Amino acid sequence: GKTRYDEDLKAYVLNDGSALVGYCNVPGPVTAKVRGDTPGINVTSEGKIIRLTASNDGTFRGVSVRVTGEDGGSYLAPDVTLVVDTAKPTVNMNSPKTMAFVKDSFIISGTASDGNGIAKVEYSIADDKADVHEKDGSVSQSGKAEWKNVAFTKAGEFWVNVSLKDAPDGYIPFSLRVTDTVGKTTYVNSVLHKDVTPPEVKVILPEDEAVVNGENTIVFSVTDAGRTNKVTYTSASGKTKSPYEM
C-alpha cells in the first residue's frame, strides 16, 4: 500500500489518503478510540481490524488508540508518530519570468510551502541534461542533472543569483525542484534568453566611397539574435540624435 515506515523520520508515512492498519489480538469485535485530543486523526474498527486515517496533512506525534474488546477489557496501543502527506509542495516563482532576456546572471526567487515542511530547494541549468517530463500530473526524469542547492528560510522563501558567464547566447532552459520532508517533489520548468552580444549595424546607403552633398538618405541594417529595443542615429559631432522606429 501507500503506508510505509520511515526509519529516518521514525514515523509511519501515510501517502495520498492511505491508512495505518492494525490487528487487535483480543476478543472481538472491538471498538476503538483515539486517546486524548488529536484533531485530524480518525479511527475506525471492523471485527479485530482498526484503521487510522487523517483528514489533513502534517506530523502527528504520540498518537495512541484505546481498544475495547468484546469481553469489556480495555487495551492501550503503543504511541506512534504519523506523517500524513497527500500533496506535493506548492511553489510560487517571483523571478525569473519565462522568456525573460538576461545577461551574465539571473535571480531565482520565490516561496515554497508544504504541510510537512520543505526539505530541499534545487535548480538545474539546461534541462537537456535533466530531461524532466511531466504528463497528466506525473513527473518522470532520466539522465543525470546537475542539481544545485538553493538556500531557503523557515518561511519557505528562497533566493539565489545564478551565473551564466560560461553559457553561450541563446535559449537557457532551467528547472527548479522543491522536495518536502517525505520526498514528494514539485518541478517548475522555464526558459530564458541570454543576450550579451550587441546588435550588428551595417550602412546600406550611401555605399562605400559614395560622394554625397547636402541632405542624404541613410539606410541601416540592424540585426540581432535577440530583440532589438531601439535604434538611434547619432551624428559624427554628437550634436544630432534621432531615434527611429523599427
Side-chain angles (χ1 to χ4, degrees):
K2 295 183 178 179
T3 298
R4 61 182 175 85
Y5 185 76
D6 190 297
E7 290 287 352
D8 294 329
L9 297 174
K10 304 297 181 185
Y12 290 96
V13 178
L14 278 60
N15 280 304
D16 303 327
S18 63
L20 178 62
V21 180
Y23 175 80
C24 302
N25 190 23
V26 300
V30 301
T31 59
K33 183 179 181 181
V34 178
R35 184 191 64 177
D37 183 21
T38 311
I41 298 297
N42 309 300
V43 62
T44 59
S45 61
E46 183 178 352
K48 293 185 178 184
I49 303 297
I50 62 171
R51 297 176 183 272
L52 277 171
T53 57
S55 55
N56 53 276
D57 284 10
T59 299
F60 303 86
R61 304 184 187 280
V63 178
S64 182
V65 174
R66 183 172 293 280
V67 176
T68 302
E70 187 181 28
D71 60 354
S74 180
Y75 308 89
L76 188 62
D79 290 1
V80 295
T81 298
L82 302 179
V83 175
V84 183
D85 195 36
T86 61
K88 297 177 181 179
T90 299
V91 181
N92 294 311
M93 289 281 290
N94 295 331
S95 68
K97 303 299 182 184
T98 298
M99 289 303 297
F101 280 86
V102 296
K103 295 183 178 180
D104 282 332
S105 67
F106 71 99
I107 291 173
I108 298 175
S109 69
T111 57
S113 61
D114 187 83
N116 287 297
I118 300 300
K120 291 187 295 184
V121 179
E122 304 162 288
Y123 76 90
S124 176
I125 298 296
D127 268 343
D128 56 333
K129 298 178 182 178
D131 199 15
V132 176
H133 306 280
E134 184 167 359
K135 183 179 180 180
D136 300 328
S138 178
V139 176
S140 62
Q141 179 182 331
S142 59
K144 294 183 179 180
E146 184 181 355
W147 294 99
K148 297 183 179 181
N149 290 324
V150 180
F152 59 95
T153 67
K154 290 183 178 179
E157 299 173 341
F158 56 85
W159 186 99
V160 64
N161 192 335
V162 180
S163 174
L164 294 176
K165 287 185 178 180
D166 295 331
D169 278 19
Y171 294 114
I172 306 290
F174 82 94
S175 286
L176 185 77
R177 182 171 72 178
V178 179
T179 307
D180 67 15
T181 55
V182 179
K184 279 190 168 62
T185 302
T186 295
Y187 289 89
V188 178
N189 302 314
S190 190
V191 178
L192 305 175
H193 195 143
K194 179 182 176 181
D195 185 12
V196 296
T197 304
E200 181 181 355
V201 181
K202 293 182 179 179
V203 178
I204 299 176
L205 291 176
E207 297 177 347
D208 290 346
E209 299 182 0
V211 178
V212 297
N213 188 25
E215 292 186 359
N216 295 278
T217 298
I218 303 178
V219 179
F220 297 94
S221 171
V222 181
T223 58
D224 189 78
R227 180 178 59 193
T228 302
N229 187 28
K230 62 181 179 179
V231 176
T232 302
Y233 166 75
T234 303
S235 65
S237 64
K239 294 182 179 180
T240 302
K241 292 185 179 183
S242 302
Y244 292 91
E245 295 185 359
M246 297 291 291

